[in-house]
Amino acid sequence: QVQLVESGGGLVQAGGFLRLSCVASGRTFSNYLMGWFRQAPGKEREFVATINYSGASTYYADSVKGRFTISRDNAKGTVYLQMNSLKPEDTAIYCCAARQTRSTDVYYARPTSYDYWGQGTQVTVSS
């Protein structure tokens, strides 16, 4: 079992930035690919970014490419999402997720591909 706890959300003006963190516990963090997803009110869960077990490979949704950066610190069991140039349409609950794999493949954009989920942290971007 893996427990995931997100933090770092909040209210920010358009054009601003936030850094989300997701701390994992329970199993060897470096055995897991990590992903970030988001869900806005009335919408389906949306893929944001993934990072492979070593941090060498990343993958982003087109909507955030060039603005968001995913990274990880395996020693700390933590994955990060740096979000710059935020837009009102980025408003959502952001959740991290874990998939047990040491593959270099990072193209896991479907929520059903993941084994564990955090509860999420709210990000609100005002115009």
Side-chain angles (χ1 to χ4, degrees):
Q1 196 77 347
V2 174
Q3 292 79 41
L4 302 172
V5 179
E6 301 93 338
S7 63
L11 173 64
V12 64
Q13 288 188 335
F17 63 91
L18 285 172
R19 189 195 196 201
L20 306 184
S21 299
C22 170
V23 178
S25 61
R27 294 288 176 88
T28 303
F29 183 66
S30 59
N31 285 339
Y32 290 84
L33 172 144
M34 299 299 296
W36 284 98
F37 288 77
R38 65 187 183 186
Q39 188 165 18
K43 295 188 176 181
E44 292 188 353
R45 186 170 288 181
E46 177 189 18
F47 164 73
V48 175
T50 59
I51 188 166
N52 80 321
Y53 74 98
S54 68
S57 299
T58 58
Y59 173 48
Y60 296 92
D62 287 343
S63 58
V64 306
K65 198 175 297 181
R67 300 188 297 123
F68 291 10
T69 302
I70 188 170
S71 62
R72 67 189 294 161
D73 185 335
N74 284 348
K76 295 183 178 179
T78 303
V79 62
Y80 304 97
L81 187 68
Q82 177 69 41
M83 305 186 297
N84 298 331
S85 303
L86 282 161
K87 305 175 181 180
E89 51 264 44
D90 294 319
T91 295
I93 296 174
Y94 284 71
C95 296
C96 65
R99 173 185 172 90
Q100 186 170 3
T101 177
R102 289 178 65 87
S103 169
T104 55
D105 185 3
V106 290
Y107 302 107
Y108 294 102
R110 296 182 179 181
T112 52
S113 297
Y114 291 80
D115 304 307
Y116 302 101
W117 290 85
Q119 292 297 310
T121 184
Q122 176 71 47
V123 171
T124 303
V125 184
S126 63
S127 57

